[in-house]
Amino acid sequence: MSIPPPADRRDSSRVPPGQTLTRKFPVLHFSHVPAFDAATYRFRVWGCVERPLDLGWAELTALPRTEDVSDFHCVTTWSRLDNRWGGIAMRTLLERVGPTPAARHVMVHCLDGYTTNVPLAALDDRDVLVAFEHDGQPLTAEHGGPVRLVVPKLYAWKSGKWLTGLEVMPRDKRGFWEERGYHNRALPWAEERYSWQEDAESTKDL
Ligand SMILES: Nc1nc2c(c(=O)[nH]1)N[C@H]1C(S)=C(S)[C@@H](COP(=O)(O)O)O[C@H]1N2
Ligand SMILES: [Mo]
C-alpha cells in the first residue's frame, strides 16, 4: 500500500495557468498592518442598498457564521488550496442590505486605505465571506485580522484585508491596484493579471 500524495500535488486541475502551489501562506499588502481598535471600528455598507448597515465590532461579530473551504490564487503566482474560512456569508449580508435595482458594482474599503472593486454578481456567491477565521484559527493581523473579505474566484488582491465597508455602486470604478495596472476583473482561470489584457466586457461599466 502506498501513501497518497498530499491533495495539493495530486490535483493539478485546481491550479490555474501560470500559478504554482504553496503550502505556506505568503503575506502581501501595499503598506503596513493597520492598527485595529474594536472600540472605534465600524463596518458599513452604503450606496445602492435599501437598508444601509453601520455596525460596531460587537454587532458585526454577532451575525450568523458559516464556514467554507476554497482555493486562493495570488497574481504573484502562488496558489494555496483548501483554505477553510470562517465568517459571515456575503449572501447573508446582501439579503440584509437589499441592493437596489441600480446596484451593479462594489468598492471594497479597508482600514489601511486600500480599495478594490468587484462586480456585485461576483460577491453573490456562496464562497464569498467576511472572514474572521482561517483554518480554524482567528485571522492573524498580517492576513487581514480580525476581519477580511474573501472572494476566492478572483485573484487575491480583490480580497480586502482589514475590511471596513462595502460601497454599492451603480457603475464600476477602479480600486487601488486596478488603477495601477492590474486587471479590472481578475479571473485566475483566464489569467486576467494586467490591465493591458482587459477587453470591452471587463471594463464596460467604468
Ligand atoms: N487592506 C488590504 N487588503 C489587501 C491588500 C492590501 O494591501 N491592503 N493586498 C491584497 C493583495 S495584493 C493580496 S495578494 C492579498 C494577500 O492576502 P494575504 O496577505 O492574506 O496572503 O491581500 C489583498 N488584500
Ligand atoms: Mo497580490
Side-chain angles (χ1 to χ4, degrees):
M1 212 182 84
S2 65
I3 299 160
D8 60 1
R9 270 189 280 152
R10 197 165 49 212
D11 206 351
S12 59
S13 65
R14 287 168 59 190
V15 187
Q19 295 294 110
T20 308
L21 283 178
T22 179
R23 298 183 141 266
K24 295 184 227 142
F25 194 2
V27 170
L28 279 129
H29 38 260
F30 82 98
S31 180
H32 56 276
V33 175
F36 173 86
D37 179 2
T40 55
Y41 175 86
R42 306 301 299 179
F43 174 79
R44 296 190 174 92
V45 185
W46 74 96
C48 302
V49 290
E50 303 285 358
R51 298 169 293 277
L53 271 185
D54 184 353
L55 304 176
W57 182 246
E59 296 166 296
L60 180 68
T61 52
L63 293 178
R65 304 269 183 113
T66 187
E67 278 195 349
D68 191 70
V69 177
S70 58
D71 302 340
F72 202 54
H73 310 293
C74 176
V75 72
T76 60
T77 76
W78 57 268
S79 290
R80 192 183 190 280
L81 302 185
D82 293 324
N83 300 277
R84 185 158 55 92
W85 300 104
I88 306 161
M90 183 55 73
R91 283 182 168 167
T92 301
L93 284 176
L94 292 178
E95 271 170 35
R96 284 198 179 227
V97 299
T100 65
R104 286 283 181 284
H105 294 269
V106 174
M107 188 65 79
V108 177
H109 293 266
C110 305
L111 210 50
D112 57 344
Y114 184 77
T115 55
T116 186
N117 56 313
V118 288
L120 180 61
L123 292 189
D124 185 12
D125 197 326
R126 57 172 303 285
D127 61 9
V128 178
L129 261 65
V130 170
F132 307 100
E133 289 172 11
H134 178 264
D135 287 351
Q137 298 297 322
L139 269 179
T140 60
E142 59 181 9
H143 285 298
V147 59
R148 78 177 299 166
L149 180 66
V150 183
V151 189
K153 290 193 181 78
L154 301 178
Y155 278 124
W157 84 78
K158 299 284 192 181
S159 291
K161 305 198 280 191
W162 317 294
L163 182 67
T164 58
L166 304 171
E167 177 185 2
V168 184
M169 310 182 295
R171 297 188 55 80
D172 200 2
K173 198 176 153 192
R174 292 181 190 272
F176 182 89
W177 282 124
E178 295 81 5
E179 276 186 333
R180 290 167 174 78
Y182 280 120
H183 200 287
N184 196 49
R185 189 168 49 197
L187 289 169
W189 290 94
E191 274 207 86
E192 293 176 341
R193 299 176 189 275
Y194 310 110
S195 44
W196 58 261
Q197 300 170 301
E198 287 168 356
D199 55 14
E201 175 61 24
S202 58
T203 57
K204 67 178 191 313
D205 295 334
L206 281 171

